[in-house]
Amino acid sequence: MSDCIFCKIIKGDIPSTTVFRDEHLTAFRDINPAAPTHILLVPNKHIDSVNALTGEDEQLVGHLVKVAGQLAAQEGIAEDGYRLIFNTGAHAGQTVLHIHLHLLGGAPMKYPMG
Ligand code: 5GP
Ligand code: ZN
């Protein structure tokens, strides 16, 4: 998707603070952090949202969650706790139409959300 901001970050056309990258995903720090640790984990292939996932993507989604847990440990927030969020669609406030997993932590967060 040539006009997708996250595709541009993955290609390196827009700078970002990358914390992890492999053949399947790229993880970088959110430009407008909502918590002391706020990382976005993004598949390297363009998928609009959870609504667009197919059976072929099951391993990819599992990999996103697994790497998120590893990054939480790397950031030193695994023990105290963290939150993983896939905002999906307008009501959830999804602003970038390239599926991404938010990893948030580093301080107590409010709950319930909504
Ligand atoms: P959403 O609201 O779609 O779930 O989350 C999109 C996230 O992407 C927001 O938290 C926003 O701050 C972040 N974001 C938007 N544009 C950029 C950018 O150019 N670079 C980085 N690092 N994050 C971005
Ligand atoms: Zn994209």
Side-chain angles (χ1 to χ4, degrees):
M1 292 277 277
S2 55
D3 59 348
C4 170
I5 194 162
F6 285 176
C7 283
K8 287 179 182 166
I9 286 175
I10 291 159
K11 277 203 292 177
D13 292 347
I14 292 177
S16 72
T17 306
T18 303
V19 294
F20 179 86
R21 185 179 172 85
D22 67 14
E23 62 178 310
H24 304 294
L25 69 85
T26 301
F28 51 90
R29 297 200 187 275
D30 198 292
I31 202 167
N32 185 22
T37 291
H38 190 171
I39 292 170
L40 302 171
L41 294 99
V42 177
N44 292 338
K45 78 165 180 174
H46 183 93
I47 301 170
D48 278 359
S49 77
V50 170
N51 290 341
L53 290 171
T54 70
E56 286 181 8
D57 301 319
E58 282 187 24
Q59 262 196 311
L60 175 62
V61 173
H63 187 56
L64 280 173
V65 174
K66 180 79 176 102
V67 171
Q70 290 168 346
L71 292 178
Q74 192 174 297
E75 293 284 313
I77 61 173
E79 289 299 316
D80 285 336
Y82 53 93
R83 188 169 285 161
L84 301 177
I85 302 172
F86 283 108
N87 286 326
T88 305
H91 280 189
Q94 185 180 4
T95 57
V96 179
L97 260 192
H98 181 134
I99 190 172
H100 48 281
L101 179 59
H102 293 260
L103 165 60
L104 294 151
M109 286 169 277
K110 292 197 181 88
Y111 196 85
M113 299 177 286

